[in-house]
């Protein structure tokens, strides 16, 4: 039951290959869990267009099927056109990070990023934080497949249980690594390591099984949000999760549950007619837009302002 409970939490709290403006055949097949067919589709698309994003998505699917050599082949080609740090935090590439070739990917991408966006004050800290993110999101593709199965069948698939147990192990190990990094470098800031890397502790804390961990860091997380040195989105998720787990009404509408029809809906919200005002105060989009995009839920509570 413990592993099943963890599965439900993974579904409710959510996560972070590369999105494109339109859904291709390869994208659709990947989402359906048909990875070998997705490889064929992406290869055909890449042959025709030579677009680096298609090559990147092909690398992701090769990594998801643990075909590492092919994944590295297309990843190295794609990243020549990408000056972001996204690949260093992309969980679809999790199978690659213990390969000796991954360090070269990290080094070249950090260099490319800094050439285009300015020098990071703590680049080594950023690298280590990005590794935390990719581990935090590890196995999420397969867990999403389990979520789809659960929504259809009402129960987790048998093959999910070892994944759920392994995911818990990764989360606990990641938390210990995070504590060590915080002791050495201090709390990360956007201005020091970049926005993507700085949010690593928030993801680890939000996904930890113990609410005491979230409560311990909540003040720091909130202050980083206020100072614009950390994610207000992740702060809202963590704040609401603490409240929901204490059987209290959430503030921002960031935590979801399955109803009797196995449809996701937000947990009850305090003064729901003012939720958009509270969200706007920390820079979040209206809840109606968020819920429609996140879980395809129609939120129709008329909003007021004090």
């Amino acid at each position: 039951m413990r592993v099943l409970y963890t599965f439900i939490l993974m579904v409710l709290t959510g996560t972070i290959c590369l999105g494109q403006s339109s859904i291709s055949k390869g994208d659709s097949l990947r989402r359906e869990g048909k990875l070998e067919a997705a490889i064929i589709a992406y290869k055909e698309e890449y042959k025709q267009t030579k677009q680096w994003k298609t090559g990147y998505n092909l690398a992701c699917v090769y990594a998801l099927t643990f075909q590492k050599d092919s994944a590295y082949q297309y990843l190295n080609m794609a990243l020549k056109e990408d000056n972001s740090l996204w690949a260093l935090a992309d969980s679809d590439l999790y199978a690659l990070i213990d390969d000796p070739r991954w360090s070269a990917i990290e080094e070249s991408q950090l260099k490319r990023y800094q050439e285009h966006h300015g020098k990071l004050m703590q680049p080594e800290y950023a690298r280590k934080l990005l590794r935390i993110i990719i581990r935090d999101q590890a196995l999420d593709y397969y867990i999403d497949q389990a979520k789809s199965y659960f929504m259809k069948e009402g129960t987790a698939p048998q093959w999910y249980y070892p994944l759920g147990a392994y995911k818990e192990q990764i989360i606990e190990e990641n938390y210990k690594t995070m504590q060590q990094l915080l002791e050495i470098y201090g709390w990360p800031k956007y201005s020091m390591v970049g926005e993507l890397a700085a949010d690593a502790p928030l993801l680890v804390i939000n996904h930890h099984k113990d609410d005491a961990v979230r409560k311990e860091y909540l003040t720091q997380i909130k202050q980083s949000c206020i100072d614009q040195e950390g994610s207000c989105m992740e702060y809202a998720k963590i704040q609401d999760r603490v409240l929901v787990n204490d059987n209290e009404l959430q503030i921002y509408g960031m935590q979801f549950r399955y109803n009797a029809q196995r449809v996701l809906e937000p947990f009850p919200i305090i003064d729901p007619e003012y939720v958009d005002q509270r969200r706007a105060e920390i820079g979040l989009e209206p809840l109606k837009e968020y819920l429609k995009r996140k879980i395809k839920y129609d939120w129709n509570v008329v909003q007021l302002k004090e």
Side-chain angles (χ1 to χ4, degrees):
M1 290 301 293
R2 174 67 190 172
V3 177
L4 181 58
Y5 173 71
T6 302
F7 167 69
I8 299 300
L9 279 182
M10 296 299 177
V11 170
L12 296 181
T13 56
T15 66
I16 112 185
C17 221
L18 193 67
Q20 294 176 270
S21 57
S22 60
I23 302 300
S24 69
K25 182 179 179 181
D27 296 334
S28 297
L29 290 167
R30 178 186 176 277
R31 293 180 181 182
E32 293 170 10
K34 300 174 182 178
L35 295 178
E36 293 295 341
I39 288 173
I40 295 172
Y42 279 135
K43 288 183 73 173
E44 182 61 30
E45 182 183 346
Y46 185 73
K47 182 179 179 180
Q48 294 176 1
T49 67
K50 299 298 182 182
Q51 290 185 354
W52 73 268
K53 289 184 179 181
T54 301
Y56 181 88
N57 286 340
L58 181 54
C60 287
V61 181
Y62 271 127
L64 288 169
T65 56
F66 284 74
Q67 299 182 65
K68 297 183 182 182
D69 290 343
S70 295
Y72 271 108
Q73 175 188 350
Y74 283 95
L75 183 62
N76 277 305
M77 289 191 294
L79 292 182
K80 292 177 182 179
E81 305 296 327
D82 179 25
N83 56 51
S84 77
L85 295 177
W86 176 259
L88 304 188
D90 192 339
S91 63
D92 284 350
L93 302 175
Y94 174 69
L96 307 183
I97 66 173
D98 291 325
D99 187 289
R101 290 171 286 186
W102 186 252
S103 293
I105 293 287
E106 291 177 318
E107 183 177 347
S108 62
Q109 207 60 20
L110 279 164
K111 179 180 179 181
R112 192 174 292 115
Y113 174 85
Q114 292 180 93
E115 288 173 348
H116 287 82
H117 302 282
K119 186 173 178 59
L120 293 172
M121 298 182 71
Q122 295 178 306
E124 181 60 20
Y125 192 16
R127 183 184 69 81
K128 293 177 179 179
L129 290 168
L130 291 166
R131 280 214 178 192
I132 280 187
I133 293 175
I134 207 169
R135 292 184 185 278
D136 176 82
Q137 308 288 316
L139 310 179
D140 278 6
Y141 173 79
Y142 314 103
I143 290 171
D144 281 344
Q145 295 300 306
K147 178 182 72 172
S148 296
Y149 184 97
F150 175 82
M151 294 177 72
K152 292 177 182 177
E153 306 295 335
T155 184
Q158 293 293 327
W159 51 263
Y160 167 76
Y161 291 90
L163 286 182
Y166 183 40
K167 180 78 173 184
E168 282 196 342
Q169 179 182 333
I170 291 173
I171 289 172
E172 190 59 38
E173 291 172 353
N174 228 13
Y175 176 64
K176 293 177 181 178
T177 300
M178 183 203 76
Q179 287 180 304
Q180 294 169 355
L181 291 178
L182 292 179
E183 186 174 342
I184 296 170
Y185 296 99
W187 192 266
K189 298 180 179 181
Y190 283 174
S191 59
M192 305 295 283
V193 298
E195 293 189 11
L196 183 59
D199 287 340
L202 283 68
L203 296 172
V204 174
I205 290 165
N206 191 31
H207 295 157
H208 198 279
K209 62 184 179 182
D210 191 348
D211 248 2
V213 170
R214 280 176 283 282
K215 292 177 180 179
E216 177 184 355
Y217 290 101
L218 187 57
T219 299
Q220 173 65 69
I221 294 168
K222 181 178 181 179
Q223 190 61 50
S224 292
C225 162
I226 293 171
D227 295 341
Q228 298 184 3
E229 289 281 8
S231 171
C232 291
M233 175 75 74
E234 294 302 323
Y235 157 65
K237 289 179 183 179
I238 294 170
Q239 175 66 85
D240 277 355
R241 185 171 179 185
V242 167
L243 291 169
V244 166
N245 288 350
D246 284 343
N247 295 315
E248 297 183 26
L249 299 176
Q250 58 176 333
I251 297 173
Y252 300 107
M254 304 300 287
Q255 295 297 312
F256 317 134
R257 64 185 180 187
Y258 281 111
N259 60 24
Q261 290 74 43
R262 297 199 295 274
V263 174
L264 281 173
E265 64 181 12
F267 278 94
I269 302 169
I270 188 171
D271 298 329
E273 66 274 19
Y274 294 106
V275 66
D276 279 357
Q277 178 175 301
R278 295 192 295 268
R279 290 173 63 88
E281 288 172 354
I282 59 172
L284 300 185
E285 66 186 314
L287 186 60
K288 180 182 182 69
E289 297 176 16
Y290 178 75
L291 293 178
K292 190 68 174 180
R293 173 172 55 82
K294 191 72 175 178
I295 60 173
K296 299 180 180 179
Y297 181 86
D298 291 323
W299 171 261
N300 296 312
V301 176
V302 175
Q303 294 298 291
L304 305 176
K305 291 185 179 180
E306 292 180 334

